[in-house]
Amino acid sequence: MGKAVQRRYVGLTAVVAAFGMTATLSGCGSDTGGGDVTLRLVAADYGTNAENSSQKYWDDVAGKFEKANPDIDVEVSVYSWKDVDRKVAEMVKAGEAPDIAQIGAYADYAKADKLYAADEMIAIRTGSNFLPSLTDAGEVDNTLYGLPFVASTRLLFYNKGLFAKAGLGAPQTWDDIQRDAAALKQRGVTYPFALPLGQEESQAETLMWLLSGGGGYTDEVGNYNIDSQANIETFKWLKNDLVGKGLTGPVAPGKLDRAKAFDAFTKGDVGMLNGHPTLMQEAEKQGVEVGMVPLPGVEGPSKGSMGVADWMMGFKQNGHRAEIGKFLDFAYTDENVLAFADQYDLLPVTGTASAAMETDSKHKQLREFLSALPNSQLYPFGKTSWAQASESIKEKIGSAVEPGGSPESVLVEIASQARQAESAE
């Protein structure tokens, strides 16, 4: 079977086909293709349709790699983000782990000793090129297992047209947000400030606000600190000064998901919200002129931003350490890193690719996001308890700003569950 035939897109209904091929593809040497070793790569799909599917990107990378390394075949399976983490978990549980996975979490596999450490796979030049803030988030017990694959940061977005009509300037502080939102409400704007604390991605919205209030999910030594006084004060302000004054629109924040908030912004119905690069592109396609500033804080712009990263990892099961490392070194060349980031309006994770993007005029709109990335703070990905903590936040945080709700009680409950999950490891 030729390499082009071996590669396939695994859609939502093709699970059986994917697993049916497993025995053929798990390190059976030249029987699986033209090379002596076949690497199985499972990746997430960042595209929105067949035309911009990530399958095309990975097929191109794999083809070029195979040409340069004729003794290694690369078999690619791409799943939607809705399914990819679960698919890999099922493969690992069935004893059929892929060689390489590009997914959303790595800590459980590292803790279970199923992954190669970075220094067992990749060249020093590859590892030293990652942005430090991202590699810090990829470590378990001070060892790098999760290689950052692609990143994003968040800024405050505002609708320039609505702001100009109301005679407003870009917000710099929480008081500015409150005053601007009140002025937009008077002019009939549907969502003066869209605050998506629904279950879709409220752990992200929450962290952005905690950081802007001088807090976060963890303290300086990495312990959960969700119920800190700074965090409590942040949510008291949100409840009393934003939600309580009717400045967040017709949908209660706990019922508002990110997708709905972003869609409303692209339609011109939102004055302000926290956004990422892809939203910027989508809004401008719809004729919305987007203003962007660092997240406002209590007394001025926040010093840090929230960062988001996805992860690449190498599994030990099939014993292809050297081949995995060779492929990863190739995948992290500037050409490949920039091609992916450019296609999906995301940020590169390496120093050299970031520098190249910053000096390229066609990426001018991404420069503010790029400048925020080195000082960004990510989720505590290295904690295997983070998955449970994140689910608790998504389930409960919206109630902290409801009428009659208690920010302190909600944060204490979430913090208690996070600590219990951490102590159970």
Side-chain angles (χ1 to χ4, degrees), residues 370-417:
L370 278 168
S371 64
L373 186 57
N375 296 317
S376 64
Q377 183 170 327
L378 283 71
Y379 302 135
F381 286 111
K383 294 178 175 290
T384 57
S385 59
W386 168 241
Q388 294 180 58
S390 177
E391 286 303 313
S392 180
I393 294 165
K394 288 191 283 187
E395 179 185 344
K396 298 179 172 64
I397 197 63
S399 63
V401 297
E402 290 177 352
S406 168
E408 183 171 7
S409 296
V410 171
L411 290 174
V412 166
E413 182 180 4
I414 293 171
S416 175
Q417 292 179 350

Side-chain angles (χ1 to χ4, degrees), residues 69-126:
N69 299 272
D71 57 333
I72 306 173
D73 290 341
V74 182
E75 193 267 351
V76 181
S77 300
V78 173
Y79 294 92
S80 74
W81 263 116
K82 221 163 81 174
D83 298 305
V84 68
D85 288 287
R86 176 171 56 84
K87 298 301 184 191
V88 171
E90 290 171 353
M91 292 174 185
V92 173
K93 186 176 181 180
E96 301 289 355
D99 296 288
I100 303 167
Q102 185 272 298
I103 52 177
Y106 64 87
D108 283 343
Y109 302 126
K111 285 281 189 180
D113 196 30
K114 295 183 181 296
L115 302 181
Y116 289 116
D119 61 8
E120 294 178 299
M121 301 183 294
I122 59 176
I124 293 174
R125 65 179 181 278
T126 303

Side-chain angles (χ1 to χ4, degrees), residues 280-324:
M280 173 186 67
Q281 304 288 351
E282 290 299 317
E284 292 186 346
K285 287 178 185 176
Q286 301 299 320
V288 175
E289 191 176 2
V290 181
M292 298 177 291
V293 292
L295 303 179
V298 178
E299 298 179 351
S302 301
K303 294 180 180 179
S305 174
M306 190 193 85
V308 178
D310 300 321
W311 307 98
M312 188 86 82
M313 62 211 70
F315 282 86
K316 291 180 175 181
Q317 181 179 317
N318 300 317
H320 296 152
R321 179 187 60 79
E323 293 85 0
I324 291 170

Side-chain angles (χ1 to χ4, degrees), residues 36 68 71 84 109 126 129 148 168 190 237 243 250 322 344 355 363 406:
D36 298 326
D71 57 333
V84 68
Y109 302 126
T126 303
N129 199 19
L168 303 173
T190 305
W237 184 87
V243 181
Y344 297 108
H363 296 299
S406 168

Side-chain angles (χ1 to χ4, degrees), residues 1-8 25 29 32-43 55 57-77 99-101 312 320 323-324 326-328 330-331:
M1 180 163 44
K3 298 173 188 174
V5 177
Q6 286 177 341
R7 262 177 238 125
R8 66 200 186 284
L25 296 169
T32 64
D36 298 326
V37 168
T38 293
L39 295 179
R40 291 182 301 148
L41 166 66
V42 174
Q55 182 76 31
Y57 169 82
W58 284 116
D59 281 352
D60 180 66
V61 171
K64 291 176 180 177
F65 175 78
E66 289 171 339
K67 187 174 181 180
N69 299 272
D71 57 333
I72 306 173
D73 290 341
V74 182
E75 193 267 351
V76 181
S77 300
D99 296 288
I100 303 167
M312 188 86 82
H320 296 152
E323 293 85 0
I324 291 170
K326 192 175 288 188
F327 178 80
L328 292 175
F330 180 80

